[in-house]
Amino acid sequence: MRVTVLPAQAHREVPQNTDVSDVSRRRFIAGTGSLLGAAALGAGSVLGGPLGGPLSGRAHAAAPRSAARRVLADGDSVPVLVIGTGYGGSVAALRLAEAGVDVHMAEMGQSWDTPGPDGNVFANTTEPDYRSFWLRTRTKQPLSNFLGFPLDKDVPLHTGILDAEDFAGITVYQGRGVGGGSLVNGGMAVTPRRENFPSVLPSVDANEMYSVYYPRANSGLGTADVDPAWWESADCYQYARVGRKHAERSGFPFVFVPNVYDWAYMKQEAEGSVPRSALAGEVLYGNNHGKKTLRQTYLARAEATGRVTVSPLHRVTDVRPAEGGGYTVSLDQLTSTGTVAATKTVTAARVFFAAGSVGTSKLLTRLKATGALPRLNSEIGKGWGDNGNVMCGRANHMWDPTGKLQSAMPTAGIDNWSAGGAFAEVAPLPTGIETYASFYLSITRTPHRAAFTWNAAANRVDLDWQRSWKQTSIDAARTIFDKINAKEGTIYRTDLFGANKIWGDHLTYHPLGGAVLDQATDNYGRLHGHSGLYVIDGALIPGCATVNPFVTITALAERNIERIITADLRR
Ligand code: FAE
């Protein structure tokens, strides 16, 4: 059966440069409530018959929009199911909805719109509580020690916002909840230098990316530069100015990078006229104010189309071909302590894997190995990398204080990629006290790529990453910091990742790959072997973005979904 969607101009009706700052947090929260509280009508009847093709655009246009807008129920049939609500999933949902397709999104994390007992939705970085970690009884903070003392503490088991997912050689930090990684990340919105792009996505036309899709992504995300004059004098960026001074005295290029934080709000925080968020150290466990997460940008616009439904606390566990076409998708509905409250099976004509690099790779690896999706190719699970992440701190002299007030939103990096293979984010250390420390998250060039494999005996997916592989990243980071230390007469901090440990080499914030573009999928994210299945998240990028990755993930999703709508849905 033919699929009809709205004409091309419908896609363009929402201007690409829509100012996202006017989509207020208040409106978004109200919108989420309406998403979840909408009338519980039978989606099957609204969306037309069973799947495998009958996504009649006419039926969509005629259907009352609210009818399909409720949490997924057992037995539903939907035209499109998106697994995950991070960057890739949000782009897919918005663009499909604009093209006239009803979209259901399943998200294993919470919706994050209900305040806790302290009146805030999110916990503060310095005081983790039940909201902070995904199903852990003890925190696993990336920066585990201070002055040698361990910082971790017991917390109640809860479907919290930050997942520290352990594999044999690495802990992978990921956001959990509606908005994915945008809920917990530092908002650094970095477009790779163009000369580095061929190494990031070798099969993608750079001209198109830099003229169309990166600008579209940055506009959609609401990225903006900090006001340089304000930055020069703001107390909360003293740490970054110290970072610049040290970088430049050693001859390294210091580059400002945009962020998705609302700079006008941050100025008001500094003036004391609004509640503090970035200036209260909020970042890892969510920002109560100021940050434009996907919920204020792509997801808010998707919600405004009236065609997108989100089911929070719904974890996809299985996808397999359905009799008669389309896919049977199984989901666990979770309680806030992670137990399974209900299992559901729905049918979807098309499924977009947007569960993040690890989530998508784990699902696909298991589904291929266990025979649910037997025709996926042998590239599934391969090409996974950590974006070369490694962290370190430096101990400054007493005459170089970094400030007790530090904005949790980074604004700059030290770019030594071409000479030393490292781009170092000048990161905050928002402890509320003067530490005389400079802190950095380096993104480095590293040749190491791991693979996910199905471990049938243990009933889990393993990753064959080796901790020793981080040495390449440490060496690259040292091309910057050994030189700075020598010039400044300073030393590395040894108290932040354990006792006498310089390098944070046990983790990544930037998982990439596992279902690589043009290998596990075609050049637009269509999975080989099973038509109607797509990958549209960080799993497509083969292990390194040369900078922080979410702008590239968003831009690639914009590119791919445009082609998929034109070629697959408008036939
Ligand atoms: P992602 O945003 O992770 O979304 C995937 C979603 O799928 C999540 O909400 C999951 O809960 C959900 N999910 C997973 N499995 C399932 C399932 N089976 N069923 C249903 N739902 C599922 O994916 N990047 C930058 O560019 N700049 C930064 O400043 C930055 N800072 C970071 C700081 C931290 C602490 C962390 C953890 C990450 C940071 N990142 C940063 C990385 C960035 O957030 C990450 O690359 C993107 O979020 C990945 O986007 P995806 O769409 O691939």
Side-chain angles (χ1 to χ4, degrees), residues 216-251:
R216 186 177 295 175
N218 277 311
S219 166
L221 293 165
T223 68
D225 295 319
V226 64
D227 170 357
W230 179 77
W231 184 92
E232 290 292 351
S233 60
D235 289 346
C236 62
Y237 281 115
Q238 187 178 335
Y239 74 93
R241 294 192 297 274
V242 169
R244 176 180 62 186
K245 182 173 72 179
H246 292 171
E248 291 183 342
R249 284 211 291 229
S250 286

Side-chain angles (χ1 to χ4, degrees), residues 231-232 237-256 394-403 411-414 424 426 434 436 438 440 480-481 483-490:
W231 184 92
E232 290 292 351
Y237 281 115
Q238 187 178 335
Y239 74 93
R241 294 192 297 274
V242 169
R244 176 180 62 186
K245 182 173 72 179
H246 292 171
E248 291 183 342
R249 284 211 291 229
S250 286
F252 294 115
F254 178 88
V255 291
F256 283 94
R394 291 179 39 254
N396 292 314
H397 297 294
M398 299 292 272
W399 57 84
D400 261 343
T402 45
T411 47
I414 303 169
V426 178
E434 176 57 61
Y436 299 96
S438 289
Y440 308 91
I480 297 175
F481 302 115
K483 189 168 177 190
I484 290 180
N485 277 338
K487 176 79 184 170
E488 301 298 326
T490 51

Side-chain angles (χ1 to χ4, degrees), residues 84 86-88 107-108 176-177 180-181 185-188 316 355-356 509 538 548-550:
Y87 292 91
E107 167 56 54
M108 70 191 265
R176 295 275 175 253
N185 67 33
M188 267 179 80
V316 170
Y509 283 178
N548 314 55
F550 74 60

Side-chain angles (χ1 to χ4, degrees), residues 10-65:
H11 183 204
R12 296 191 199 104
E13 264 170 21
V14 180
Q16 299 303 341
N17 62 353
T18 300
D19 180 4
V20 292
S21 61
D22 61 358
V23 184
S24 70
R25 174 177 180 79
R26 182 180 295 275
R27 181 174 154 224
F28 176 76
I29 290 172
T32 305
S34 74
L35 276 180
L36 305 180
L41 297 180
S45 63
V46 172
L47 301 173
L51 310 187
L55 306 182
S56 161
R58 214 177 302 238
H60 290 304
R65 287 189 167 182

Side-chain angles (χ1 to χ4, degrees), residues 11 14-16 90-101 103 216-217 220 298 301-302 557-558 561-562 565:
H11 183 204
V14 180
Q16 299 303 341
S90 300
V91 171
L94 172 63
R95 300 308 179 197
L96 287 163
E98 287 175 345
V101 180
V103 178
R216 186 177 295 175
Y298 275 94
R301 289 169 64 193
E558 289 279 19
I561 197 66
E562 186 175 81
I565 288 169

Side-chain angles (χ1 to χ4, degrees), residues 82-90 106-110 134 142 162-163 172-190 259 283-284 294 311 314-317 331 354-360 362-363 366 410 425 441 508-512 536-539 547-554:
V82 177
I83 308 172
T85 56
Y87 292 91
S90 300
E107 167 56 54
M108 70 191 265
Q110 299 191 54
W134 178 258
L162 185 65
D163 194 354
V172 185
Y173 285 89
Q174 297 152 90
R176 295 275 175 253
V178 177
S182 77
L183 298 169
V184 299
N185 67 33
M188 267 179 80
V190 197
N259 199 293
V283 56
L284 276 184
L294 290 165
S311 296
H314 279 62
R315 180 174 57 202
V316 170
T317 57
L331 305 104
S357 160
V358 172
T360 290
K362 279 188 351 186
L363 267 174
R366 181 163 53 78
E425 168 186 330
L441 166 62
T508 184
Y509 283 178
H510 300 162
L512 292 170
I536 192 149
D537 59 15
V547 291
N548 314 55
F550 74 60
V551 174
T552 297
I553 295 170
T554 306

